[in-house]
Every structure is written in C-alpha cells, then in structure tokens.
Amino acid sequence: MPTTPKVRLHRLFNHDKCLDVAIDHGIANEPDFLVGLEDIRGVMKSLIAAGPDAIQVNFGQADLLQQTPGPKPALVMRADVGNAYNATRHREMWAVLHNPEAPILAALQMDAAAVVVNLYQIPDEPGIFRQCIENISRLRHACDRYGMPLMIEPLVMAPAGQGAAYGSLGDVGQIVPLVRLARELGADIIKADPTDEVDEFYRVVEAARCPTLVRGGGKGELADVLVKTAALMAQGAAGMVYGRNVYQHANPSRVVRALMAIIHQGASGQQALAIYQQD
C-alpha cells in the first residue's frame, strides 16, 4: 500500500506545529545568501543539536542531515531551482525542477518528510509563472503516487526597481489569491510571506485551508522577529520557515530555542527573548 502524505506529515508537525529551519540558500547562486552558511557541515551539526522540527535543504546537502545517526529533525527538500533571487535583473526568468523526469526520486532516496516548490508571481514575467504551474503539476502527480506531502511557496514579487531585485511583497490583496491558487493546485502545506499588517494574516490561513507556515525572508532584529512570530501564530499560522533569521545570528541554537517556545508552548515575543538571553 502506498504511503499516505499524512504519515510523513506526522514526522514534520509536532502536535500540528512546526519550525522548519531553511538552509537551502546555496541554490540561489547569490553570495549574500551564503553569509553564515560557509561551513555548511558545521551549521547542520549545530542545527541538529538545536532540535527544530525540520531542516530545509537541497539534495546535494541532505546527506549531512540524513547520515547523522540518532534522532534528528525531519528533512524538507527543495525540488526546484530558479534565478529569481539574484541582485541583478535577468533578461530571462526561469524556474525548473531538479529532475523533471522523476521529480520526487531524490526526496524518496533521502527519506524526506516533504518537498517544497516555488510559485512565483513576478510583474511582466508570465513565463516563469507558467513554468511554476508546470513544475507543481508534475510534482503533485509524483507526490500522489508516492505519498509525499507537497509544500508550495507562493511569492508575490516586487516590480523591477522597487527595492531589492525580486524582493517579495506582503500585500494581502495579492498574497491571498496566489495562496488560493496554490491550494487549488493541490498544496498539502503552504509557505507564505507574512502580510504587511500582521492582523490580516488570518486571511492567508483561510485561503490555504491546510497547514500554513510563515516565510521569514531577510534577517531582522531578533526582538522584532520574535514579537512578530508570536503575533502570526495568534493569527492561525501552523509555524515558521526561518533561514537567515536563524543561521545568520551569532547563536542559532538559542534562536531555535526561543522560536520553539513560541510555536510549541505559546510563549510571547518578550518571553521568547528572555529564553534566548538565558545562559
């Protein structure tokens, strides 16, 4: 009998909540994203010890997690690669699956708990949007066949010339329809940007109708990140997917401990900061 997605979801979510630490940034081919990830083996070792619910990584680094003996976080494997995060605007935008012929094979080989794929909405770039739809369609078919949960990351990107190239937006009016589309395409999990107004994030959760994780984005001041995390959890988020807000801090293990207190114990942002500051 094929494994159902729910079996793997139980490995990813602890009492329906999840902290997924993303360190898959090397695939963006952008030097700034690698600050803090130069020693990927050391980063992985410290994160495993810190004990988040999951670690998000690409196939080429997944062995650092899965070959570690003993209990460890679940593996979330990124299934696609694109050029939407570089500092300069590209003449041609693209997003492709790692293995278009057997898109789920690598995740099965590494015993992943879920795969994640992007859904880019970039002004004046309909080609990459179509590629994302095609990627998701192929992955959904493969995920159904092998019982692999599919996490879709809908991203509303800024027009050229507005801030960092391809920076994402928190416009709830654009996020909600894109999240709804991701659900219509068969998402088991949604990974979405926070809304500009935190108290509107419940609309994203309603549109998703499945576990909704909040994407962290660039590194922020820790106290602000913790307060915002608590507020987003109060809006119905099932957890967080944080990368630079963890691995670019001086003590990632303490950040994980603080975030886990919010996500799993209902701590406030101030309480979580006090946990971070403990020796």
Side-chain angles (χ1 to χ4, degrees), residues 23 40-48 55 57 61 64-65:
I23 56 172
I40 188 68
R41 188 183 299 273
V43 171
M44 183 67 80
K45 182 178 180 179
S46 68
L47 287 177
I48 292 171
I55 296 176
V57 70
Q61 308 284 12
L64 297 176
L65 173 62

Side-chain angles (χ1 to χ4, degrees), residues 122-176:
I122 303 176
D124 301 318
E125 295 290 351
I128 194 172
F129 184 77
R130 178 173 179 168
Q131 288 175 7
C132 289
I133 298 293
E134 293 172 349
N135 291 344
I136 291 168
S137 298
R138 285 197 290 270
L139 272 172
R140 180 68 273 170
H141 176 73
C143 286
D144 286 340
R145 183 175 182 182
Y146 294 106
M148 181 69 68
L150 177 60
M151 183 188 302
I152 300 179
E153 185 172 354
L155 292 172
V156 177
M157 308 297 272
Q162 293 189 14
Y166 312 125
S168 58
L169 302 177
D171 180 357
V172 68
Q174 296 187 68
I175 292 175
V176 166

Side-chain angles (χ1 to χ4, degrees), residues 189-202:
I189 309 162
I190 291 290
K191 174 187 172 186
D193 274 312
T195 49
D196 290 333
E197 299 297 329
V198 173
D199 61 3
E200 291 187 319
F201 192 77
Y202 76 93

Side-chain angles (χ1 to χ4, degrees), residues 8 12-13 56 103 116-117 119 144 148-149 153 205 227 243 266 275:
R8 295 182 189 273
L12 186 59
F13 288 90
Q56 183 172 303
V116 58
V117 63
L119 176 56
D144 286 340
M148 181 69 68
E153 185 172 354
V205 175
V227 168
I275 290 171

